């Protein structure tokens, strides 16, 4: 079973809390330039008896004219194909109602894969997606961090996600945060 979600990171860092000496407010300087964005799609896969895995795809958007500002259907299907290669098993995918996820092109790509079953989360239910907790964790780790260049921001996001790939216990915590019963039902007598 896999959960998928996407997030965007800009050069303007998320706000966080910190401490400072009494009377001196800490200030993080951020450049006024807002062009550029890092879009990331993440996939958390769990299987009973196996460790939880994380797979992600990253795309930089420099703000040039005519450049796509989000991930395409091909990006998502490459992510799903990559996870299928990694786990070597059929995939039950759970994701939200993003327009790219429910497009006709994506539906055709999904229908071409007999090992893939897709479920769409109800509207306004981000708490049921484990990857939302992953993004909250990554964004919290980037709080108050001002990045000078877009490629540096992409490197930081990639490094944070790479570290999480080796923390299956933390990924299990994200899954537990959904409150969904992901265990197999007991066999009937």
């Amino acid at each position: 079973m896999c959960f998928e979600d996407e997030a965007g990171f800009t050069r303007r860092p998320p706000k966080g809390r910190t401490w400072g000496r009494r009377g001196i407010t800490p200030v993080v300087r951020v450049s006024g330039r807002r062009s550029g964005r890092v879009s990331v799609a993440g996939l958390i896969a769990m299987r009973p008896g196996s460790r939880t895995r994380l797979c992600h795809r990253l795309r930089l958007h420099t703000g040039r004219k005519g450049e796509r500002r989000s991930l395409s259907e091909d990006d998502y299907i490459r992510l799903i194909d990559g996870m299928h290669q990694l786990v070597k098993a059929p995939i039950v995918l759970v994701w939200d109602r993003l327009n790219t996820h429910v497009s006709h092109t994506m539906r055709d790509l999904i229908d071409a894969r007999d090992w893939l079953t897709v479920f769409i989360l109800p509207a306004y239910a981000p708490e049921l997606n484990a990857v939302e907790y992953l993004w909250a964790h990554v964004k919290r780790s980037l709080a108050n961090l001002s990045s000078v260049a877009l490629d540096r921001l992409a490197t930081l996001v990639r490094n944070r996600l790479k570290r999480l790939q080796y923390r299956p216990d933390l990924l299990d915590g994200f899954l537990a945060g959904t409150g969904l019963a992901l265990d197999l039902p007991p066999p009937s007598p």
Side-chain angles (χ1 to χ4, degrees):
M1 179 169 218
C2 297
F3 290 90
E4 191 278 337
D5 196 43
E6 54 287 322
F9 298 88
T10 62
R11 293 176 51 183
R12 178 157 291 196
K15 291 180 182 175
R17 294 178 181 238
T18 187
W19 62 273
R21 291 179 172 241
R22 185 178 302 174
I24 301 173
T25 303
V27 177
V28 177
R29 300 213 183 274
V30 179
S31 85
R33 294 177 52 202
R34 294 185 188 170
S35 66
R37 172 187 175 93
V38 178
S39 292
V40 187
L43 196 71
I44 294 179
M46 59 86 54
R47 180 168 49 174
S50 181
R51 75 180 186 99
T52 307
R53 297 185 178 263
L54 169 66
C55 194
H56 64 276
R57 292 289 182 266
L58 195 123
R59 177 180 272 225
L60 277 133
H61 310 286
T62 57
R64 292 189 182 111
K65 199 170 198 166
E67 183 182 36
R68 187 177 173 97
R69 294 190 56 208
S70 61
L71 295 160
S72 68
E73 286 91 349
D74 289 333
D75 293 325
Y76 288 112
I77 210 68
R78 273 189 251 127
L79 174 67
I80 295 165
D81 287 342
M83 184 57 81
H84 178 63
Q85 295 264 330
L86 187 67
V87 298
K88 296 176 178 55
I91 290 180
V92 176
L93 179 65
V94 179
W95 61 11
D96 55 9
R97 295 178 181 272
L98 183 71
N99 58 0
T100 311
H101 295 169
V102 295
S103 70
H104 293 291
T105 306
M106 182 57 80
R107 207 170 313 142
D108 294 340
L109 291 168
I110 290 169
D111 290 341
R113 288 153 177 80
D114 59 345
W115 46 264
L116 180 61
T117 306
V118 175
F119 291 99
I120 297 176
L121 286 170
Y124 306 108
E127 68 278 359
L128 297 177
N129 194 339
V131 186
E132 292 284 351
Y133 297 101
L134 169 81
W135 298 138
H137 180 80
V138 172
K139 287 186 178 190
R140 197 173 319 117
S141 74
L142 294 173
N144 294 333
L145 178 75
S146 63
S147 179
V148 184
L150 192 60
D151 57 343
R152 175 76 177 128
L153 177 63
T155 302
L156 288 169
V157 171
R158 193 176 286 119
N159 287 343
R160 297 294 198 281
L161 291 170
K162 188 71 171 173
R163 281 188 213 153
L164 287 171
Q165 285 179 326
Y166 298 104
R167 307 251 337 251
D169 53 331
L170 191 56
L171 297 175
D172 289 337
F174 298 150
L175 288 165
T178 64
L180 297 173
L182 301 173
D183 297 328
L184 296 173
S188 57

